[in-house]
Amino acid sequence: MRISNATKLCVAGLALVLGSSAWAGVQVHFDKPDNYSDVPFSTRDRDQVLAGLADHFAWLGKSLRPGQELKIEVTDVDLAGREDPSRRGAFDVRVMNGRADWPRMRLRYSLEQNGKVIASGNAYLSDMSYMQRVNRYSSNDSLRYEKQMIDDWFKNTFGVRPNGRSSPTMTLQQREVQRR
């Protein structure tokens, strides 16, 4: 059975529309991710981290009021801990000491209600006490500290507290986390 290109295009468009409901209300754009302060060395791991952050923003966006759309442009990411290049092998090793290695993120945002901008600005997110706080995300989630920081910003900026937790973000191979 041969399927025409037009049929394939219609099916792909329908799948995109039906699959985009999880992304409804939030658009995330990563501006020049290769220039970010601290993302994984591996392209595959970097893509997975950025997708995990975008998924988390989309999950938080489900808590926005109906008719609201949030546009986020991430301009810098500095993940919790530091990658240790001397220990790089089959997988990356992030060393977390709780000193000057806290998670940070810079972004621009715009919140629209029925097409009209009701809030916008630049935000600098950071969590200096990331290791001293109770974290609601699993220790198996490689972005647990970043997600907690984003949750705090979302609550303080939009007055929305998330219910539950977003899906864990895993690297392709489990990262080893060491505390010094």
Side-chain angles (χ1 to χ4, degrees):
M1 177 179 193
R2 204 154 185 245
I3 300 174
S4 71
N5 286 339
T7 304
K8 290 178 187 177
L9 186 61
C10 287
V11 170
L14 182 60
L16 181 64
V17 169
L18 293 174
S20 68
S21 64
W23 293 87
V26 177
Q27 294 177 18
V28 180
H29 172 72
F30 294 95
D31 185 38
K32 301 176 187 168
D34 291 338
N35 297 334
Y36 287 176
S37 297
D38 179 28
V39 291
F41 293 113
S42 156
T43 303
R44 191 172 5 170
D45 285 350
R46 181 181 321 124
D47 291 345
Q48 193 168 7
V49 163
L50 298 180
L53 293 171
D55 287 345
H56 189 66
F57 278 118
W59 176 77
L60 288 170
K62 293 178 184 178
S63 301
L64 293 171
R65 294 184 182 145
Q68 289 186 339
E69 184 174 345
L70 178 61
K71 296 177 182 176
I72 297 173
E73 181 180 11
V74 179
T75 58
D76 192 28
V77 173
D78 187 350
L79 299 174
R82 294 282 174 251
E83 281 193 1
D84 187 347
S86 67
R87 296 183 182 185
R88 194 177 329 144
F91 55 91
D92 295 331
V93 175
R94 290 197 77 80
V95 178
M96 299 178 185
N97 61 23
R99 295 185 188 125
D101 61 351
W102 59 86
R104 300 176 188 107
M105 186 180 295
R106 289 184 189 271
L107 55 87
R108 288 187 279 276
Y109 68 93
S110 174
L111 180 65
E112 297 179 5
Q113 176 77 43
N114 299 320
K116 181 181 174 187
V117 176
I118 59 174
S120 65
N122 295 317
Y124 177 71
L125 289 60
S126 68
D127 186 0
M128 293 175 70
S129 60
Y130 76 101
M131 291 185 78
Q132 285 75 41
R133 299 175 54 191
V134 174
N135 193 308
R136 50 195 252 126
Y137 294 95
S138 165
S139 61
N140 292 331
D141 191 334
S142 65
L143 295 175
R144 65 187 169 277
Y145 299 116
E146 292 76 14
K147 288 180 177 184
Q148 185 71 43
M149 175 183 71
I150 293 168
D151 288 356
D152 293 343
W153 171 75
F154 207 84
K155 179 183 169 206
N156 294 333
T157 305
F158 305 112
V160 176
R161 184 181 171 132
N163 294 324
R165 294 181 290 213
S166 65
S167 299
T169 302
M170 305 291 191
T171 54
L172 295 174
Q173 294 193 19
Q174 184 65 33
R175 288 189 196 188
E176 179 181 334
V177 177
Q178 295 183 352
R179 295 183 185 198
R180 286 189 176 169

